[in-house]
Amino acid sequence: MIFCYLLFFFSDWANLAKHLLDSVVKRLALPSDYLQFSCVCKSWCSVAKDNKSQRSKMITPMLLISANKKHTWHFYRVMDNKILDLQISVPNKRYCGFSKGWLITLENNFVVALINPFFRVKGKPKKENSIIRLPPLTCKDLTPRRILHWSRRSENYGVKAMISADPVLNASDCVVVIIYEELKQMAFIRLSKDTTWTYIDQSVDPRWLLIEEVTYFRGRFYAVDYWRRLLSFDITAQSNSDVKLVAQSIEGKKFDKKYIVNSNEKELLMVQRYYIHGGSSVTIGFKVLEFKFDKSEWVEKNDLGDVALFLGDNTSISVVTSSLSGCQSNSIYFCHDHNENDFGRRYCDCGVYDVKSQTITHYDIPLLKMTDRPAIWVVPSFHL
Ligand SMILES: *[C@@H]1O[C@H](CO)[C@@H](O)[C@H](O)[C@H]1NC(C)=O
Ligand SMILES: *[C@@H]1O[C@H](CO)[C@@H](O)[C@H](O)[C@H]1NC(C)=O
Ligand SMILES: *[C@@H]1O[C@H](CO)[C@@H](O)[C@H](O)[C@H]1NC(C)=O
């Protein structure tokens, strides 16, 4: 298969010529090609083509749960409480994001890597998953001692990351944004244009740090910082000076965690999560805010309509529920997130919040009690 063969080259970023990328993208113009390209196995392909109900299940987000065995992960569908008959093999390590079908992680020496858990490179000895390696982040503000410290823990250097478009299907629109290190500054790279990262950091403008969330919405990136200020920049940004402060910080009741979500290109949402704290934290509620661009302010939203959100530290996904089977509309599906007040090593705080009735249903997922990593929401990015 030519597509799989081409993917081979992706593992070597330095040698990846632009014309090669272009030719991949051109070849993948048809959805059917893309599907073939992104399939894990034949059975997924054939059900996807022929069977509507199966198809809708495949495009419903699932939990990716580490099996505690080297490199092995399970797919778990919360709607029908089912472990899929499919295991994947990606390193058992920390991922700082899942976006557009790709897991994002930092490898040794600050190399940022995108790994697609849904397809594998055929012909490689260990059926390796396809991987795209980006240039390393440089640590310009760090002392040699700190660099040494982080280089041993590279996977923790990336706090959070996302991509704007599929790096294979849509390489020319693909920008990778990463929030990194303790100061939580941002950097981004345009997949088909740049050979180095552009840094949006406090060395030029002391305001841009402690960024907590970032998303891509209607052609621009939006980030929220610790103080809930909203910042924005677009793909043409050259430096900090191209970053705009879109809205000042907002006051309000204390919450425990926040997420920013592109809700199907219609709305930009900020979701706040509330816990009760004990030995290990338990989610008790959410609050949804919508950004009103005309007034430049956040407004509380009590109805998501035909939409469900899938939220976690590593993923913010929004889906239209009418096209999916078993997925509850007007809901927030959540998974266990890192929490400073957690003492246990259990990652079981997963469930669904009904926005209208403001009620929570927690899931009892035995697999989560056996793992040493929190689960992560994933969904294949193929377009059927
Ligand atoms: C779709 O798949 C389901 C489950 O495998 C099966 O029960 C159903 O008959 C299939 N429908 C069609 C139209 O093939
Ligand atoms: C997701 O991100 C959180 C917070 O950065 C991290 O603690 C967790 O290990 C990540 N999950 C996975 C599966 O890598
Ligand atoms: C490529 O990305 C752009 C911008 O995100 C989007 O408008 C377009 O639909 C994408 N194309 C495909 C084939 O996914």
Side-chain angles (χ1 to χ4, degrees), residues 212-213 224-229 249-260 270-277 283-289 298 339-341:
E212 298 199 332
E213 286 275 320
V224 181
D225 67 9
Y226 173 81
W227 301 275
R228 287 187 289 174
R229 294 184 304 183
S249 60
I250 43 178
E251 309 279 306
K253 189 178 157 224
K254 196 187 166 321
F255 57 92
D256 295 294
K257 192 109 203 174
K258 60 177 172 294
Y259 310 90
I260 183 165
M270 178 153 59
V271 180
Q272 296 175 178
R273 179 171 179 173
Y274 302 86
Y275 294 119
I276 39 168
H277 300 288
T283 300
I284 48 167
F286 289 87
K287 180 164 142 181
V288 183
L289 304 171
W298 294 99
N339 188 323
E340 282 151 19
N341 300 309

Side-chain angles (χ1 to χ4, degrees), residues 164-165 169-170 173 216 383:
S164 62
L169 178 65
N170 212 340
D173 286 315
Y216 187 65
H383 309 273

Side-chain angles (χ1 to χ4, degrees), residues 4 7-8 119-124 127-131:
C4 290
L7 259 190
F8 225 101
F119 56 69
R120 287 178 182 156
V121 183
K122 276 193 187 149
K124 278 223 172 181
K127 282 194 173 171
E128 272 177 48
N129 281 84
S130 49
I131 180 161

Side-chain angles (χ1 to χ4, degrees), residues 64 73 93-97 158-159 313-314 338 373-376:
L64 186 61
W73 298 70
K93 62 186 293 195
R94 177 166 175 267
Y95 292 92
C96 54
V159 177
D313 268 331
N314 325 69
H338 172 76
R373 286 197 182 273
I376 176 166

Side-chain angles (χ1 to χ4, degrees), residues 15 71-72 168 252 316 329 340 373:
N15 294 330
H71 297 336
T72 309
V168 173
S316 302
S329 64
E340 282 151 19
R373 286 197 182 273

